[in-house]
Amino acid sequence: MLHIDTPHRRLFRLTMGAVVSAWVVLTATACGGSPSESGADQSSTATAAEGASPSETAQQETPESFVSRPDLAPPEVAVDEGEAWSDEQATTDDLTFVTPGFDGNKPTTGAMILDATGEPVWMLASDKEDPNGNYFDLRVQQYQGEPVLTYYLGSSGPGYGAGSFHVLDQNYQEITQVTTGGSLGAGKADFHDSTITDRGTMLLMAYVPTRVDLSKVGGPKDGWAMDGVIQEVDIATGEVLFEWSAMDHVPLTDTEKDFAKAKSEKEKTGTEELPFDYFHINSVREDDDGSLLVSARNTHAVYRLDRETGEVDWTLGGSSSDFELGDGAEFQWQHDAQRAEDGTLTLFDNHNDTGDGDSSRGLRLELDEEAMTAEVVTEYAPPEDRPAGAMGNMQHLDNGNLLVGWGTRPFFSEYTDDGELVADATHGGNGSYRAYEQQWDGTPATDPDVKLRDEDGQRTAHVSWNGATEVEQWRLVTGSSEQDATAQEPVDRKGFETELSVTDDAQYVAVEALDKDGNVLGTGVAQD
């Protein structure tokens, strides 16, 4: 993490390395460019602009640029220290994974990994002309005992997607793609969540248009609604081992989404073209006992499912809650429900679906599953009201703190376990679906990129290696040819791109990437 010289705000290139423990955000612009996850009539631009400070809106206009990789243009990041900030938290080996979205071509919309100084380590740009080129949920998981990088690629609107999850090794080579199967067919995996289990399976979700009687919620008798389906898929074989349907277990009348309001905003709501999204599944995680915890935004509820039968063991929140919620424990339009190591349940409480209502918050609840009560343990509130109409998450960090990603609000914040703010950061733009802080070691299978440029009589080699985490120094190798080239003194790596002076008579120019022990990790040959 990057130390901040003042107790106020500074701008940093790229992302949140400046925030107490290196962070990650997954996925672009309310799901890669769709107007909003909730389907409400709000533009992503308006979402970002409301309540934005000058520094955060300026970031969209002042992206970083690289000679060696002109296709990449990361945003700046502004960071505020919180009351719990400590200089001891300014050093970490963890990385930040982000997928922020921007309206123009610069800064880059896509998936990003950043180091503890806020500099990019790896960037994968979205193709804005491709409706299936949206990245979501970039993070590190474990597969077959090894760390892998996973992300969603596919469509992203309105509020759900259809695509697949890509699994990459530490050389950024694709191991496999995982998507739906069985009754759903391939290519229907939704972007909201994917979890690799110890059994070598992946928990996926899908949105399935289903013909249904909507008269009980104010719609047509011959209508269409969106079912929320979970599949557990064997990663190696693609076999579907478990499937669950919300419509088989949760009645349409449990929805908190107003059909008449949805219909007034989008006239085709309830038709095959735009099914009524009564449930809106957005996370599925394993509970301590192997059952599944499922979050459904549009019922304001979290469900625990029996892994064997699919039956709902209990419902937390919403109109059919099995728990009595204590003062301040009510949540609405929530995301990312999961069990913490201490047995509490955490979630991101959007608390509104428009982006201009009550402030969102992180929430930790104590569940008494005998008395069936839920009480607030800790609330993780933003420095000022921050209503996120969609997206968002909470992550339990190894240092005992928590990270909150603010969804459609382009912020992420770190808190102590008891709710004190450590740091608050913004990358500008239209928000990011989730934020994570994790460890990752990567060595690309490609060579470093080296580009020569002559400026004011000075010849300079600009070098970068997209995805390399172990480079400590760069060493210039020059000569009249590759055969007679000699190595120069190494220079320290300086962020994503480093500049090295080159003599005018050098015909052959290469740059070696060195690790902390001086070993050569890779070599790039200069291109004019």
Side-chain angles (χ1 to χ4, degrees), residues 8-322:
H8 302 298
R9 169 169 285 187
R10 248 176 81 180
L11 290 179
F12 299 97
R13 292 290 180 191
L14 298 256
T15 249
M16 18 266 73
V19 191
V20 116
S21 15
W23 311 354
V24 175
V25 184
L26 293 313
T27 308
T29 306
C31 311
S34 65
S36 92
E37 182 191 352
S38 64
D41 186 16
Q42 67 182 62
S43 72
S44 55
T45 304
T47 301
E50 292 171 6
S53 68
S55 60
E56 70 197 60
T57 53
Q59 289 158 31
Q60 297 189 57
E61 302 169 4
T62 55
E64 182 74 280
S65 60
F66 306 113
V67 174
S68 59
R69 290 298 304 266
D71 57 318
L72 304 178
E76 288 182 341
V77 170
V79 180
D80 288 333
E81 295 178 7
E83 62 271 18
W85 173 269
S86 169
D87 288 346
E88 294 178 359
Q89 296 164 313
T91 58
T92 179
D93 293 329
D94 291 350
L95 297 174
T96 298
F97 299 70
V98 303
T99 54
F102 298 89
D103 292 330
N105 292 324
K106 292 185 178 181
T108 299
T109 288
M112 303 180 193
I113 302 176
L114 303 121
D115 69 14
T117 69
E119 288 285 324
V121 171
W122 181 71
M123 301 179 66
L124 190 59
S126 296
D127 180 357
K128 291 193 172 183
E129 301 302 316
D130 182 0
N132 295 310
N134 304 287
Y135 295 103
F136 286 82
D137 207 26
L138 172 70
R139 57 171 158 152
V140 178
Q141 301 196 62
Q142 294 286 321
Y143 177 54
Q144 296 181 337
E146 298 292 335
V148 293
L149 196 63
T150 64
Y151 61 80
Y152 167 90
L153 182 62
S155 64
S156 66
Y160 38 83
S164 60
F165 282 87
H166 294 238
V167 183
L168 276 56
D169 65 18
Q170 290 176 278
N171 301 124
Y172 301 94
Q173 299 297 291
E174 186 166 282
I175 299 171
T176 189
Q177 295 182 27
V178 187
T179 189
T180 51
S183 65
L184 301 184
K188 302 295 177 57
D190 174 59
F191 60 73
H192 280 91
D193 205 1
S194 74
T195 299
I196 296 178
T197 73
D198 293 339
R199 301 191 292 181
T201 64
M202 183 178 284
L203 296 171
L204 298 173
M205 302 179 300
Y207 282 65
V208 182
T210 304
R211 202 163 195 163
V212 67
D213 181 355
L214 293 175
S215 59
K216 290 185 178 181
V217 294
K221 187 174 182 63
D222 184 17
W224 289 79
M226 196 65 82
D227 194 5
V229 175
I230 298 169
Q231 286 191 341
E232 182 176 7
V233 177
D234 185 286
I235 294 174
T237 67
E239 181 184 0
V240 177
L241 305 178
F242 172 85
E243 182 170 306
W244 182 87
S245 161
M247 283 190 178
D248 289 344
H249 299 277
V250 181
L252 290 169
T253 50
D254 276 7
T255 189
E256 299 288 348
K257 192 172 181 66
D258 188 315
F259 182 89
K261 183 174 182 289
K263 183 78 170 176
S264 68
E265 293 171 346
K266 296 183 183 296
E267 187 174 348
K268 294 183 179 180
T269 295
T271 66
E272 185 176 8
E273 183 177 347
L274 188 62
F276 179 56
D277 190 5
Y278 95 102
F279 194 69
H280 199 92
I281 188 171
N282 58 31
S283 74
V284 54
R285 299 294 177 92
E286 290 185 301
D287 204 355
D288 293 339
D289 62 357
S291 59
L292 300 179
L293 291 175
V294 177
S295 169
R297 167 187 172 87
N298 287 351
T299 61
H300 299 180
V302 175
Y303 305 87
R304 190 176 70 180
L305 311 183
D306 185 293
R307 189 71 161 270
E308 300 300 322
T309 67
E311 293 301 315
V312 176
D313 290 336
W314 50 247
T315 301
L316 170 68
S319 61
S320 296
S321 181
D322 294 312

